[in-house]
Amino acid sequence: MPASTDEITVVRNDEDSRYEVHVGDVLAGFTQFRVDRRGRYLYPHTEVDPAFRGRGLAQAVVAAAMTDSAARGETVVPHCPVVAKYLHENDVPGLKIEWPSQPHPE
């Protein structure tokens, strides 16, 4: 496992429809999205490699994804419990959220 002093970066990977969090040059986790026929960005799943858990990386990748989505003018539908929890606990200026009436399968 890389040292905890390694730089943490988040990048949007449109090819794989996800935001990725890297520790140094290692992919440590991601939050997936898909665009529905109405143009909304559905977030079904967030995952962090067990070797990197406990560092706040899930929150970091979700925070960056939500901030970027707000800047892009996207509407977010948070099906992932990690994304939903983040949005309940944090204000993201300019982010449009449509809360799902029921959870969406991954």
Side-chain angles (χ1 to χ4, degrees), residues 39-104:
R40 302 177 306 168
Y41 281 69
L42 283 60
Y43 282 81
H45 181 69
T46 301
E47 185 174 321
V48 172
D49 183 305
F52 293 94
R53 291 197 180 139
R55 297 187 187 187
L57 298 179
Q59 185 171 14
V61 72
V62 170
M66 297 302 104
T67 299
D68 189 54
S69 289
R72 292 170 178 263
E74 299 167 349
T75 298
V76 167
V77 183
H79 290 287
C80 171
V82 176
V83 176
K85 182 177 189 243
Y86 179 84
L87 291 173
H88 280 298
E89 294 176 353
N90 298 277
D91 179 47
V92 181
L95 185 64
K96 294 175 258 181
I97 305 167
E98 287 189 20
W99 293 99
S101 57
Q102 61 187 16
H104 189 276

Side-chain angles (χ1 to χ4, degrees), residues 4-55:
S4 60
T5 58
D6 285 344
E7 182 180 8
I8 295 171
T9 57
V10 176
V11 296
R12 180 174 169 138
N13 179 338
D14 284 313
E15 185 174 313
D16 290 332
S17 299
R18 66 189 192 182
Y19 286 84
E20 300 172 342
V21 61
H22 296 260
V23 176
D25 61 354
V26 178
L27 174 64
F30 57 86
T31 188
Q32 295 175 318
F33 63 84
R34 71 175 181 84
V35 183
D36 71 6
R37 64 180 171 262
R38 293 172 45 196
R40 302 177 306 168
Y41 281 69
L42 283 60
Y43 282 81
H45 181 69
T46 301
E47 185 174 321
V48 172
D49 183 305
F52 293 94
R53 291 197 180 139
R55 297 187 187 187

